Amino acid sequence: MAQLCRSVFVLLGSQIALGPCGRGLVPRGFASVQLSVLIDTYNHERLIATAINSVLEQDFPASQREVIVVDDGSTDRTAEIVRRYAPQVRLVTKNNGGQASAFNAGIPECRGEVIVFLDGDDWWAPGKLRRMAEVFREDPALGMIGHAFIESFDDGTRKTISPSERIRLQVNNVSAATLFRLSRCYFGTSRLGLRADLARKILPVPEALVFEADEYLFTMAAALGPFALLPDALTHYRVHAGNLFLGAGASQAGERRKAQVIAELAQALRISLPATGAPQDAVDAMLEIVEAEAAQLRLKLDGGWPWETFRTERTIYRVQHGDAPATSRIFRTLSMVPALALPPRWFYRGRQWLGSQTWYKRARAGAVPVPGFAKVDIPKTETPAAKREAKS
């Protein structure tokens, strides 16, 4: 792929600008934002073409973006399929090492001002790159963007996961950390956009994170600078058995691998986050749920003390459902009584069995439905563009 040239922009009107190196006219909203699309992939021969096509078909000038695919040592035809897209797509190959190693190899290859990430098994909705460029352009201080997404299942079922409103903040206090930890799903790989200089500042991502490397990136980025959360559903997140994170629970070996990765994530963030300058209480709030999830997996697999189970489950419930109605809190307290008496592995096996019973699911849905995630009040902030409009 030809190297991205230095752009020269000439204002021709309220909506039009001269494109990079004088090549054609592009909408003014795209001016001054060069994008690098970074796709990480492993054994996605059935899916990678959909991911790449969803990028190339975006209503965004090809002259203002590059597409880089990092193949993490695939053993199928993934690399062969990607090569067919040259020169529109540049392929980087490496030995298999997991998601973190793919990011460490791919991010230094990116030449754009902003890196927009995509997993090889997901795909983007139309207008994704246009929207990302607009938001980054209007707010030069912004370091990261996450957004709503559509869960897409193999049977054609789709479910939109979306925040209630647009948010802009930085994790520099406990309130912001509390909102961020409940919004992590909106910053996963295929929803993530990062300023390239911020991404490079975070490198290297610990290579023990064979998955969940995206969470290391976006957690560090949230503490290092302002981020935006958009209600626009711009990504299709494919839910399938081949997904390394979702499929980890299908076997004990997969569950143990997931437990190791989450524990590594918690430990790496505990070491790295304080260096961002975030207050210690904000760091503790951000990591509370990650460390509780790591403890939960450890207790399921290796056991421990009953009081550890009770403490861990209480923490997860408080973080996720802190404003649940009284009936839900009472039900939860009663359901946790066995955790104080049973070995952790017995407790989790029993809960898994109970949760699989149709009669229980029906009774639970009718009597005490699972509450939604807690609502957090955060002081509203305006984007620079909104402030300018208010003054005019």
Side-chain angles (χ1 to χ4, degrees):
M1 175 176 288
Q3 186 171 2
L4 290 177
C5 60
R6 185 175 299 278
S7 301
V8 178
F9 300 99
V10 180
L11 183 63
L12 300 177
S14 60
Q15 300 298 323
I16 301 296
L18 192 64
C21 301
R23 294 196 299 270
L25 301 179
V26 295
R28 188 183 178 195
F30 297 132
S32 79
V33 180
Q34 295 280 4
L35 301 182
S36 292
V37 176
L38 182 58
I39 304 175
D40 66 299
T41 185
Y42 174 71
N43 283 355
H44 288 147
E45 65 177 1
R46 294 187 306 106
L47 310 172
I48 190 63
T50 299
I52 294 174
N53 289 336
S54 76
V55 175
L56 299 182
E57 293 168 3
Q58 292 285 312
D59 58 343
F60 191 85
S63 60
Q64 299 215 196
R65 56 104 174 114
E66 64 175 355
V67 184
I68 299 170
V69 175
V70 178
D71 179 27
D72 186 35
S74 294
T75 57
D76 61 5
R77 295 174 54 250
T78 297
E80 174 188 338
I81 294 169
V82 174
R83 287 190 181 97
R84 296 174 187 170
Y85 288 90
Q88 298 181 83
V89 175
R90 179 154 57 100
L91 175 64
V92 175
T93 59
K94 57 179 291 297
N95 293 330
N96 180 248
Q99 189 183 45
S101 68
F103 288 164
N104 290 335
I107 289 173
E109 295 288 327
C110 295
R111 297 182 292 252
E113 174 191 352
V114 169
I115 303 173
V116 190
F117 295 81
L118 177 61
D119 274 331
D121 53 348
D122 297 331
W123 73 98
W124 286 342
K128 156 93 172 190
L129 286 183
R130 175 192 289 267
R131 183 67 175 132
M132 299 291 273
E134 288 173 347
V135 176
F136 275 115
R137 179 190 62 83
E138 74 178 18
D139 191 350
L142 198 64
M144 177 173 69
I145 294 176
H147 57 73
F149 60 99
I150 302 162
E151 286 188 337
S152 296
F153 297 81
D154 289 340
D155 63 0
T157 303
R158 293 182 176 180
K159 178 183 179 183
T160 299
I161 312 296
S162 177
S164 58
E165 60 183 330
R166 177 172 172 170
I167 296 166
R168 183 190 189 276
L169 72 162
Q170 179 178 350
V171 178
N172 51 17
N173 56 60
V174 172
S175 294
T178 301
L179 184 143
F180 174 79
R181 69 188 186 186
L182 293 173
S183 306
R184 294 178 298 159
C185 65
Y186 301 117
F187 296 95
T189 304
S190 300
R191 288 85 80 189
L192 180 62
L194 282 178
R195 298 275 182 192
D197 57 355
L198 179 60
R200 294 189 184 97
K201 184 182 296 185
I202 296 169
L203 292 183
V205 181
E207 298 209 355
L209 304 180
V210 293
F211 50 85
E212 289 294 283
D214 53 344
E215 183 156 355
Y216 182 86
L217 275 179
F218 66 67
T219 304
M220 291 292 292
L224 284 167
F227 66 86
L229 175 57
L230 310 179
D232 313 64
L234 302 173
T235 288
H236 289 266
Y237 175 68
R238 194 188 299 269
V239 181
H240 64 109
N243 182 296
L244 285 177
F245 180 77
L246 295 178
S251 66
Q252 187 171 22
E255 188 88 342
R256 186 166 294 282
R257 187 186 192 195
K258 182 176 179 180
Q260 291 171 346
V261 169
I262 300 299
E264 290 282 356
L265 173 66
Q267 182 179 9
L269 288 173
R270 178 59 71 180
I271 293 171
S272 299
L273 271 175
T276 65
Q280 188 60 48
D281 54 357
V283 169
D284 292 340
M286 292 174 79
L287 292 182
E288 187 175 31
I289 185 66
V290 181
E291 291 174 337
E293 289 169 349
Q296 184 186 60
L297 289 167
R298 173 181 60 80
L299 291 165
K300 284 181 179 180
L301 291 167
D302 299 324
W305 296 99
W307 63 264
E308 291 182 288
T309 307
F310 185 85
R311 183 184 63 184
T312 298
E313 291 298 318
R314 184 177 61 179
T315 297
I316 293 174
Y317 189 83
R318 174 175 51 78
V319 169
Q320 295 182 341
H321 312 294
D323 58 356
T327 53
S328 294
R329 294 199 302 271
I330 293 170
F331 177 84
R332 178 67 174 184
T333 300
L334 293 175
S335 69
M336 285 301 301
V337 170
L340 292 170
L342 295 174
R345 283 182 287 189
W346 290 17
F347 171 80
Y348 284 114
R349 288 171 189 165
R351 191 168 73 172
Q352 182 178 15
W353 174 84
L354 186 62
S356 68
Q357 304 304 303
T358 301
W359 61 267
Y360 174 80
K361 288 187 282 189
R362 288 176 179 171
R364 178 73 193 273
V368 190
V370 177
F373 278 167
K375 303 296 186 298
V376 181
D377 292 327
I378 296 291
K380 293 185 180 298
T381 58
E382 293 182 305
T383 65
K387 291 180 180 178
R388 288 193 298 269
E389 290 174 5
K391 291 179 180 178
S392 60

